[in-house]
Amino acid sequence: MKKNLVAMMLTATLAFGLCACNGSQPAESVESSTVAESSVEEASVAETTPAENADQAALEDGVYDASFTTDGSMFHINEAYGDQGLLTVANGEMTIHITLPSKNIVNLFPGTAEDAQKEGAVLLEPTTDTVKYEDGTTEEVYGFDVPVPAIDQEFDLALIGTKEKWYDHKVKVSNVKPHEGDDDQAMADHVADLIDAIYVQEWTEDTEKQCKEAKEAWDALTDEQKELVEGESADPDYFGRDTGDASKDDPLNADDIGEKEILVVSFGTSFNDSRANDIGGIEKAIAKAYPDWSVRRAFTAQIIINHVLARDGEKIDNVDQALQRAVDNGVKTLVIQPTHLMHGAEYDELCATLKDYEDKIETVVIAQPLLGEVGKDATVINEDKETVAKAITDAAVKEAGFASLKDAADAGTAFVFMGHGTSHTAKITYSQMQTQMDELGYENVFIGTVEGEPEETELSQVIDKVKEAGYKKVVLRPLMVVAGDHANNDMAGDEEDSWKSSFEADGSFESVDCQISGLGRIEEVQKLYVEHTGSVLK
């Protein structure tokens, strides 16, 4: 351990003086020397303690086993783990995961019970840990990720139980040692728990902290341990998949908005390239068309917002945050342009949220989604649907290398556009898009959905339609604003239940190709959004 240079020099000087005495020094001098030695030793301790503590705290990034002890018998680690917790060090910050005996403790607070009850106090939320005991039984209990200010030093940690009463405790983390390799799965499971904790649609005051902890714990794993991460929603791709450069995307969350704002609201995507090209393409087109307005962004999917924040450090507003930003900036006229495909559940939820802000902003209006009004049945089509049908088909034909859709048909090629699908009454929109393709004479174009709603858009029915029409080659492309998770996994993935794999497994087709491209990057689609925005501008 490094020592303070001044203390070392003082100790060396004293040692030299004592040797020079050689036992012949008078008692008074020896006594004085002893006092001096004691004083120097105290100075040495005072000088070296901070340095030694700094060395102790400066553990290399990684995962360690450590003892977690408390001052009370009612607050302790689960018996299955002795007194051991899992200490994670990332960027110099330390957090220990402790697993408790039950679910009786519902919150912890890094401080005193008095401070825990003050307004604005951020409580530690529990994780649900599954403990396996020696007799083979298992039990679900609560665990906590506790910030550790220092090793081998007591610190305050308050708790509140099911009886809703706060208690003060002193705890200490000690006996730190490298984590045993045979618990690789336990380390991976801990990261999976942290990912599952942020794979939620509800934002809380702890969300940003939880995102940070999940990334730090992931970064502390070895490559082999990362491959073991598997949870209810977690997998190695959550942090490990390369989806492009996040720095190319603009979250559009700046203040200084002015009095007129256009808020572009999207479901969102964690695929960086798609976010920049598809959603960003629409936002930039609107900003260019209306330079006197400030254009800002909001996502409706908190799960995606959390993913992007945890993995890339990019903060995107949810709808409530974006609306509150408008209020705080004194926006007087707010235009909402949803990038949703239709008047479905997402659109309805957006309208409901806006009602809470109608009395906070002078004028709030919402523009049409991409495909306009729904219509009463599958026969009802409109100009918006025609524009999108032509635009996406032209783009797909061009990317496939054909001069025209007819040339593709003559070559035995069909185009299948995969939408999301919905149980909402607006699901008729997908049937209307098929009607629109038929009305345009696009005989080799088919509409399907991931959810299989409406029923005629279900995958097996789409495959049968393409076979019955006699086409031997298939091009798959998303009928979605962004080419995100559904496009990359449900459509083009290698899993046996993906659309690509299902078409191949049928055995009726010579080739199955995929185009990973969202609607948002097509110029004609961008123009349609611009028109919808313009129709409600005041």
Side-chain angles (χ1 to χ4, degrees):
M1 188 136 338
K2 295 178 182 177
K3 291 187 179 290
N4 182 280
L5 181 59
V6 173
M8 291 179 66
M9 292 174 65
L10 286 170
T11 303
T13 302
L14 175 61
F16 177 80
L18 289 174
C19 291
C21 292
N22 196 27
S24 60
Q25 187 174 354
E28 183 178 349
S29 298
V30 172
E31 192 172 330
S32 299
S33 177
T34 303
V35 172
E37 180 182 359
S38 175
S39 299
V40 173
E41 285 178 348
E42 288 176 4
S44 176
V45 170
E47 293 287 351
T48 59
T49 297
E52 291 182 356
N53 286 344
D55 284 340
Q56 239 180 1
L59 294 169
E60 291 185 4
D61 284 5
V63 181
Y64 301 84
D65 292 320
S67 296
F68 179 87
T69 53
T70 76
D71 59 0
S73 60
M74 301 301 291
F75 177 30
H76 57 84
I77 286 183
N78 190 289
E79 64 182 45
Y81 299 98
D83 66 353
Q84 295 292 292
L86 197 63
L87 181 71
T88 299
V89 182
N91 300 320
E93 296 186 3
M94 299 182 290
T95 304
I96 189 167
H97 183 78
I98 57 173
T99 299
L100 302 184
S102 66
K103 293 185 177 181
N104 291 335
I105 295 174
V106 296
N107 288 111
L108 297 179
F109 177 75
T112 65
E114 181 181 357
D115 289 339
Q117 299 172 76
K118 292 180 179 178
E119 184 177 354
V122 179
L123 308 184
L124 301 182
E125 298 293 335
T127 61
T128 300
D129 297 357
T130 301
V131 179
K132 185 174 183 179
Y133 298 102
E134 289 185 357
D135 62 2
T137 61
T138 60
E139 181 183 17
E140 284 193 349
V141 299
Y142 280 158
F144 288 89
D145 294 297
V146 179
V148 179
I151 304 299
D152 286 328
Q153 292 184 19
E154 284 191 339
F155 58 93
D156 292 314
L157 188 64
L159 67 82
I160 185 172
T162 54
K163 295 182 179 180
E164 300 184 352
K165 183 177 180 180
W166 280 98
Y167 295 91
D168 281 311
H169 282 284
K170 295 285 188 181
V171 302
K172 183 168 68 174
V173 175
S174 58
N175 301 323
V176 178
K177 58 183 179 180
H179 187 66
E180 295 294 334
D182 57 359
D183 280 339
D184 285 350
Q185 187 62 60
M187 296 167 61
D189 289 347
H190 174 55
V191 173
D193 288 341
L194 294 176
I195 293 174
D196 285 342
I198 59 176
Y199 203 91
V200 293
Q201 188 57 20
E202 182 180 357
W203 179 90
T204 71
E205 292 182 355
D206 291 329
T207 295
E208 291 185 24
K209 178 175 174 289
Q210 289 175 310
C211 289
K212 181 173 179 287
E213 289 175 350
K215 181 60 161 61
E216 289 175 347
W218 166 266
D219 289 341
L221 297 181
T222 65
D223 289 344
E224 291 76 14
Q225 291 164 348
K226 289 175 179 177
E227 290 301 316
L228 300 176
V229 173
E230 195 68 39
E232 184 177 346
S233 301
D235 59 38
D237 281 347
Y238 187 87
F239 283 116
R241 183 168 188 168
D242 182 8
T243 66
D245 185 355
S247 67
K248 294 181 179 179
D249 181 49
D250 185 350
L252 295 177
N253 58 3
D255 290 318
D256 301 322
I257 298 172
E259 294 186 352
K260 300 190 301 182
E261 175 186 352
I262 299 171
L263 181 62
V264 182
V265 178
S266 305
F267 178 81
T269 180
S270 63
F271 282 72
N272 292 332
D273 284 343
S274 295
R275 192 167 64 257
N277 293 323
D278 297 330
I279 295 175
I282 296 168
E283 294 165 341
K284 290 173 183 175
I286 292 173
K288 183 179 180 180
Y290 308 109
D292 294 333
W293 292 70
S294 293
V295 175
R296 296 293 183 266
R297 169 192 291 179
F299 283 0
T300 59
Q302 189 67 46
I303 289 173
I304 289 173
I305 293 172
N306 292 353
H307 193 173
V308 176
L309 177 61
R311 184 190 61 198
D312 304 311
E314 178 179 331
K315 185 176 180 180
I316 298 170
D317 285 346
N318 60 35
V319 176
D320 275 311
Q321 290 168 334
L323 292 174
Q324 189 59 49
R325 187 185 298 278
V327 172
D328 294 342
N329 278 263
V331 171
K332 293 183 178 180
T333 304
L334 178 64
V335 172
I336 309 292
Q337 176 57 67
T339 66
H340 305 132
L341 210 63
M342 64 188 74
H343 285 268
E346 290 282 328
Y347 188 90
D348 290 347
E349 290 173 8
L350 175 60
C351 291
T353 302
L354 288 177
K355 290 182 179 180
D356 295 334
Y357 291 85
E358 288 177 348
D359 61 344
K360 299 178 182 179
I361 302 173
E362 288 184 13
T363 303
V364 180
V365 292
I366 184 167
Q368 288 285 345
L370 181 61
L371 298 178
E373 293 293 341
V374 175
K376 67 182 188 305
D377 58 44
T379 65
V380 179
I381 53 181
N382 57 31
E383 291 183 4
D384 292 339
K385 293 179 178 66
E386 180 179 356
T387 298
V388 174
K390 289 179 178 178
I392 191 172
T393 302
D394 288 348
V397 168
K398 182 178 180 180
E399 187 170 329
F402 294 104
S404 67
L405 184 61
K406 184 178 182 305
D407 287 346
D410 292 342
T413 300
F415 293 88
V416 177
F417 296 113
M418 183 193 78
H420 186 277
T422 177
S423 58
H424 191 277
T425 54
K427 65 184 178 182
I428 196 69
T429 302
Y430 294 105
S431 302
Q432 292 168 347
M433 283 300 291
Q434 184 65 67
T435 299
Q436 183 65 74
M437 296 295 183
D438 296 340
E439 289 287 327
L440 290 169
Y442 295 173
E443 297 179 357
N444 55 331
V445 175
F446 302 86
I447 304 295
T449 64
V450 177
E451 299 294 331
E453 293 191 75
E455 292 182 5
E456 66 268 20
T457 62
E458 190 269 328
L459 175 58
S460 64
Q461 293 200 37
V462 174
I463 292 175
D464 288 341
K465 290 176 185 177
V466 177
K467 283 194 301 185
E468 290 168 5
Y471 298 104
K472 295 297 182 181
K473 300 176 183 178
V474 178
V475 175
L476 302 174
R477 186 181 175 109
L479 180 61
M480 300 177 178
V481 174
V482 298
D485 184 69
H486 287 303
N488 285 274
N489 296 325
D490 294 318
M491 187 186 80
D494 294 327
E495 294 79 6
E496 64 179 16
D497 60 346
S498 74
W499 282 45
K500 175 176 175 288
S501 297
S502 297
F503 268 95
E504 291 173 340
D506 186 82
S508 303
F509 307 100
E510 297 174 7
S511 65
V512 182
D513 297 316
C514 296
Q515 297 178 355
I516 310 295
S517 185
L519 292 168
R521 69 188 68 185
I522 300 175
E523 186 176 354
E524 290 78 6
V525 171
Q526 294 172 1
K527 289 179 179 178
L528 187 53
Y529 279 117
V530 168
E531 290 174 7
H532 286 185
T533 302
S535 68
V536 296
L537 289 184
K538 303 255 183 190

